[in-house]
Amino acid sequence: MAALTKQHAWLVRFQAVLLLALPVVWSCFVWSPGFFTDPDSYFHIGVTRRFLEHGWLRELPWLPHTTLATPFPDMYLGQHVWLAPLVALFEPMTALRLGIVGASFACATSLYLVLRRRGVELAAPWVVGGMLACPLALTYAVFLKGATTFLILLPWFVDAVWARARRRTFVLAWVSVYLYVGATVLVPFAVVHLFVMRWWDGEWDAGCVVATIGGILAGMIINPFWPAHWGYVAAELRTVFERDPALVPGEYRGAEWMMLTGQMLVHLAGAALVAWGILLVRQLGRAARVSAEAASGAIAALGMLAGGLLSGTKLVELFIIFSILAVPQLASQMRPWPRIAPAVVAVVVSLVAVGSVRGLLRELDDPLAVRGRDYRAMSAWLGERTEPTEMILAPWDDMPGLFAFGADQRYMAGFNVQFLRDEDPKRFEAYALFYRGAITDPERAMEVFFDDARIVLVRRQPHQPGEPALTARLQASPAFEELAAPVPLWRVFRRRVSASMKSRP
């Protein structure tokens, strides 16, 4: 027993070393030659690069027909400031890799330190297990999403509300506005904790709710992008409740907006779901109730899960983060567990984590994935054949990668097609129909709607339903010629110069 106690004490003392397993695993992915990431990652690198090259960005002329064009409301300013030194010192892909690993490790460290503050002895194993055993958390950790830097702050905000630290709550809520467009998600958590405290202690202490609302309002009022950011936030919140049927998830909207099936949910966050099932069954057999902090964390986590079932994986990622904060506290408060339980949990979580990591590494072999080197080669090739401010027609989710490495070419849509749709519904409709192959005269469409663009990029292996029809129309039209692309992933078509175009000044 004494030896076991010493072993436990040693594990508690040096557990933080276990956190280093996370950047090692993430690095195996992001530094692999087959590494690829999502469009958001490239867009954030591209914006940071332009920020360093052009100074303070008041406009985003690279997407001239979107709501981002002028004025440009940078809702991820904090993330771009975080990336700026990396982009200044390294080429884009190296900066991207370092930014991903650094920000994800900072998030893991925040979770660990907050759990330690809440009295969880073995906080590091909980964090490592939670971030590796859930494929969704693992995927987000190797992407540079809009919420990446916000997730570093989130655990500290939750801790501030739990501690009833009003001033700290106010400051963190304020800062969050400069990190993430979805900072308003902090308000529901503060409200949930208010009601739990009323139920547990019989008192109303709305200080942290007021501090949260006040902090977010301060960030929205004292903001370098006033007043354009108000419209951006309103549009983002509206998309949660309004869904344009033309913006099909996976086609003209990110796949994170897809409605989740039960099978998808189990695959993405099965470990967290099992943990909650065990804790709920365990609590049914107990007479004591858990702490108010653990209860509000549980309600917040399960609320995010319910929201994710209605809106997509965006909120499921927050479900995992809140689970990592709440589950260890609940498990500690529900002791004693059977003596064999910790060993069983450790073995099962380790096996699930290994499977999750192997599954992610297998994706590196995807022959259809577009990698940084592909965008770099295509951007350089386009730069040699187009004018600096020329409009290029490309799939919206290819725009961020071309933007990250390219010069000053313009694009019709990118990052989020919602911005094109909100600014110019007719141009959006033309763009959507164009890439669905539903426009019979693509040359005329390019003249009328797409700024007389000359270059069209189409994926060789279509990733949208209408691209084969578009390719067939471009091939059949005498107004277009196909160019030899430097990367086999794309086919490139160029409009032939007509007599009317030659006569233009």
Side-chain angles (χ1 to χ4, degrees), residues 431-454:
Y431 178 83
L433 292 174
F434 187 88
Y435 270 95
R436 286 174 179 155
I439 290 182
T440 57
D441 189 350
E443 182 185 23
R444 179 60 177 163
M446 292 172 75
E447 291 177 351
V448 175
F449 294 104
F450 307 142
D451 295 357
D452 260 345
R454 295 184 304 129

Side-chain angles (χ1 to χ4, degrees), residues 215-235:
I216 289 175
L217 285 176
M220 292 295 291
I221 294 170
I222 304 174
N223 195 294
F225 301 101
W226 175 281
H229 60 292
W230 283 91
Y232 191 117
V233 172

Side-chain angles (χ1 to χ4, degrees), residues 35 89 109 123 138 150 160 214 310 384 424 426 434 451 491:
F35 170 63
L89 293 172
T109 303
L138 183 57
F150 172 76
L310 296 175
E384 294 172 355
D424 193 333
K426 288 186 177 180
F434 187 88
D451 295 357
R491 297 181 69 172

Side-chain angles (χ1 to χ4, degrees), residues 4 46 48 57 87 104 131 215 231 254-255 289 317 319 328 341 355 400 407 413 447 459 464 469 492 500:
L4 183 61
T48 305
L57 289 182
V87 175
S104 296
M131 298 195 80
R289 69 181 178 183
E317 170 64 10
F319 158 67
E447 291 177 351
R459 290 282 185 95
Q464 294 181 12
V492 183
S500 61

